[in-house]
Every structure is written in C-alpha cells, then in structure tokens.
Amino acid sequence: MSDFFSNGWSLFVAGIVIGGLAFCVFVLAVASKRVKMADDNTTGHVWDEDLKEMNNPLPRWWMGLFILTIVFAAIYLSLYPGLGASEGTLKWSAVGQLKGENEKAAAAMAPVYAGFANLSAEQMAKNPQAMAIGERLYVNNCAQCHGADARGSKGFPNLADSDWLGGSGPEYIEKTIKEGRQGVMPPMAAAVGTSEDVRNVANYVLSLSDSPHNSVAAQLGKAKFAACAACHGADGKGNPLMGAPNLTDKVWLHGWGEPAIVAMVNNGKTNVMPPQGHRFTPEQLKVLTAYVWNLSQATKVAAQ
C-alpha cells in the first residue's frame, strides 16, 4: 500500500482513530452529567399518553465498562500498530511474527532434515518420514494447482504420470519447482494455411495417438503438419529440449478433440508455472522433489 499512498494517508488513518477515541470521551463526559429538568425527574417528553422519558444517569457498571474500553484502546494503540504508520512500542507485526514462527519451526525440524542430507531422491522415496513430510509440503503448496491427487486438470500438468515437458528426473523437478517454467506455443494458423488446412492438421494430430478422427482429413493434413514438425518432430513425438509435447500419446494438457487442437493452432498458448523456490528451504525443496519424483514412477518406490 505504501507504493500508492503518501504519508498523508497514514496521518488520515491516525486522525480518524484518535478522533474516534476523543469522541468516545466526549460522549462519556456528556452522558455522565445529570441535567436538571422537571421536578418529577422527567425530560417532559411523553409517548402513548403515559410513557414518560426519565432523566436518570447511566448505570455505574455501564460507565465503568465504557471507561475500561477507552483505556484499553489507548494502551493497545500505544503498544501495537494502529495509528497509521506507527509501529507501536512493541514493534510487533504480522510479518515479524510469521518470520519468528518459521524460524522456530525450522530449528525444530533441522535435526530431521539433517537425516536426509546425504540421501538421493530414490533413497528418500524409501523413507516413510521423508515421504510424509513431502506430502504435507505438496498439499500445502502445490495441490491448489495440481490437485490433492497430483493428477492436475486442464492447463495444470499431471504429476502422477511419466509425461514430462522439458525434461525429467529429480534434478529437472527441483529446477522447475525452484525457478518455475514457461511453455510457449506461438499461433501457427498462418504457417499451416487456410482454416480447412488447420482442421485437417488437427485430425492428423489426432490420428498420431489413434484418437477418434476423420481419416480423410487426416491424410490431407499430413503434408501441412510439416509446419509443426520443427518443434514436435516429423513423427510428432515432441522435443523435450524445447518443451514441445509428444503428440503420439493420449496426454492432452489443454483439452482434447478437433476443436481444442484447432484453437491451439489458431491462437497458440502460453502456460506459466511461477517460481516457487522462495517458499522452501533447501532441505524442504530436496524432500519435496523426492516426493514429486516418486509420484511419477510407474511403480512407486515403497517407503519402508
């Protein structure tokens, strides 16, 4: 917020807070006075013929609570941030508290992570404690996109299969988690030809994985697929170094069928996984990497 507001905003907030407390004190002072009215201790106001408004002072217990509330507010605002940019005498902040709690947790877990320091991903996959920690790290940080079962959804890769774009293995997984990844397919409609050519190419792509397709259109699209072969290869099996997916399997990250492929060729696609390295300590990153690697194994390494 400080990037968008000057110090005047802080003064404005502080003024409202102090003004609110001052108004409460004013109301308390006014309410504590008993104003002399009529001899019968009424204000002279009468409703429904016999309902008279009395001029009795506020109960002492109510006045006491009101005073305690004001005193508590004043003490709180002096100790904690509440008056604009004031940090309070205790210098407390939510960020500072979180940092302190994280440091305590890291110190408590340090002996545990030390036991994994010399283990490879394959060895950690056999360690039930490491996999339990890795699962919690995954659920708390990765499941929002890739799902609790790690099988992903449209636009979010399945981490529980062996289909990897850009590489594979523990080193690649750790690098991707730490630095993120950006996959780009440019619009290719102009290179393919007419809209009819694009539909024919879409059917040819479907034929590569033996998916339902129009065989006549697929034959017509085979020659036009040359525009795609630079990245996906002449056989359509992709190029991991470029992050170009294998078109001969039945793994579809952004949708399946002729309409989805036509949209991809016409519009292209940019898919981004943001860097996540700042979320983890090096020790946590190593354990999480082992957990994700184990998810992708055809036969999971048994934790013993």
Side-chain angles (χ1 to χ4, degrees):
M1 294 291 286
S2 60
D3 294 335
F4 301 96
F5 295 100
S6 66
N7 291 334
W9 175 253
S10 174
L11 296 175
F12 175 73
V13 172
I16 290 179
V17 174
I18 295 174
L21 281 179
F23 180 73
C24 289
V25 173
F26 171 76
V27 170
L28 179 63
V30 171
S32 64
K33 294 182 179 180
R34 183 173 178 177
V35 181
K36 182 67 175 177
M37 292 290 185
D39 293 338
D40 59 355
N41 196 37
T42 67
T43 64
H45 298 155
V46 179
W47 292 271
D48 294 335
E49 297 182 357
D50 60 353
L51 185 60
K52 299 179 180 179
E53 180 182 3
M54 305 301 292
N55 184 35
N56 294 323
L58 293 172
R60 290 184 179 275
W61 65 266
W62 191 95
M63 295 286 287
L65 286 178
F66 201 168
I67 293 172
L68 287 176
T69 300
I70 296 173
V71 172
F72 173 81
I75 295 174
Y76 180 91
L77 290 172
S78 67
L79 296 176
Y80 294 95
L83 294 175
S86 172
E87 296 179 345
T89 56
L90 296 181
K91 306 297 182 183
W92 178 92
S93 70
V95 173
Q97 181 173 337
L98 176 61
K99 182 179 179 181
E101 292 175 353
N102 286 340
E103 290 174 351
K104 290 180 181 178
M109 289 296 294
V112 177
Y113 285 116
F116 307 144
N118 298 320
L119 300 181
S120 65
E122 294 83 352
Q123 291 171 325
M124 273 193 286
K126 298 178 181 179
N127 187 305
Q129 187 180 32
M131 290 300 94
I133 294 173
E135 181 181 19
R136 297 319 306 165
L137 290 171
Y138 173 86
V139 170
N140 291 335
N141 297 278
C142 313
Q144 295 85 344
C145 293
H146 295 282
D149 59 359
R151 296 188 179 276
S153 60
K154 185 176 180 181
F156 299 97
N158 181 356
L159 303 180
D161 62 14
S162 58
D163 187 74
W164 293 89
L165 297 178
S168 61
E171 295 79 10
Y172 172 73
I173 295 171
E174 180 174 346
K175 183 177 186 294
T176 302
I177 296 173
K178 185 176 181 179
E179 301 177 6
R181 184 176 181 278
Q182 179 171 325
V184 179
M185 174 178 168
M188 296 298 295
V192 171
T194 66
S195 59
E196 187 66 26
D197 291 330
V198 171
R199 286 193 293 273
N200 292 339
V201 166
N203 278 277
Y204 176 71
V205 170
L206 289 170
S207 74
L208 293 174
S209 59
D210 293 326
S211 299
H213 63 281
N214 183 319
S215 58
V216 175
Q219 286 299 316
L220 294 173
K222 183 175 182 179
K224 292 293 184 178
F225 183 76
C228 313
C231 294
H232 295 282
D235 56 1
K237 291 187 177 181
N239 185 344
L241 295 178
M242 299 182 64
N246 182 358
L247 303 179
T248 66
D249 58 19
K250 295 185 183 296
V251 178
W252 302 94
L253 179 58
H254 300 291
W256 172 86
E258 180 183 319
I261 298 174
V262 167
M264 185 69 71
V265 174
N266 285 334
N267 305 320
K269 187 72 177 181
T270 298
N271 215 35
V272 178
M273 173 181 166
Q276 301 294 319
H278 64 282
R279 292 177 174 268
F280 309 105
T281 64
E283 295 79 12
Q284 290 174 328
L285 183 59
K286 184 176 180 180
V287 173
L288 178 60
T289 295
Y291 177 77
V292 174
W293 173 84
N294 195 33
L295 288 174
S296 65
Q297 302 309 295
T299 302
K300 303 293 187 295
V301 177
Q304 301 173 349

